[in-house]
Amino acid sequence: VQLQASGGGLVQAGGSLSLSCAASGRTFSNYAMGWFRQAPGKEREFVAAINWSGGRRHYADSVKGRFTISRDNAKNTVYLQMNSLKPEDTAVYYCAAKSSTVVVTTVNYDYWGQGTQVTVSS
């Protein structure tokens, strides 16, 4: 599976951004999808995940209520809508895919995208 993330950028605190991750190469609906982020000097951390059908979602406590993960299996794309952004959300955001029928919240994914930078100014 090849993953291409896009949609990052610079936004002021309180603003919104929408990330997209387009998948190709395998049957997209066979994969659980996740978003992770990595800030400079920090380890990669879980942000949000969704199961193959979109019926199950899980969020990190730090983004719960502000971020929404969704997917469109017809378009082979997973999305991350980010609202009420904070400076601490600044990081490179990665999408990931795992051959699984359940939501996966660890970093043990099979495929990773290249990352997209999100910068939130105060």
Side-chain angles (χ1 to χ4, degrees):
V1 175
Q2 292 79 45
L3 302 173
Q4 181 71 42
S6 61
L10 173 65
V11 65
Q12 288 188 332
S16 298
L17 279 176
S18 181
L19 304 183
S20 299
C21 176
S24 61
R26 297 287 179 95
T27 304
F28 182 66
S29 59
N30 287 345
Y31 290 84
M33 300 298 295
W35 285 97
F36 292 75
R37 66 188 181 186
Q38 188 166 17
K42 295 187 176 181
E43 292 187 352
R44 191 168 298 188
E45 66 173 0
F46 167 76
V47 174
I50 190 167
N51 74 331
W52 69 275
S53 68
R56 294 287 185 267
R57 310 176 192 195
H58 190 80
Y59 299 93
D61 288 343
S62 59
V63 307
K64 201 172 294 183
R66 300 188 297 121
F67 291 11
T68 301
I69 188 171
S70 61
R71 67 188 294 162
D72 186 337
N73 286 345
K75 296 183 178 179
N76 291 350
T77 302
V78 63
Y79 305 95
L80 185 68
Q81 177 64 41
M82 305 185 294
N83 298 328
S84 301
L85 282 161
K86 305 175 181 180
E88 51 263 44
D89 294 319
T90 296
V92 177
Y93 282 70
Y94 299 89
C95 60
K98 183 173 180 65
S99 180
S100 172
T101 59
V102 300
V103 173
V104 180
T105 62
T106 67
V107 296
N108 296 320
Y109 275 71
D110 302 319
Y111 304 97
W112 292 85
Q114 85 289 1
T116 184
Q117 177 70 47
V118 171
T119 302
V120 184
S121 63
S122 57

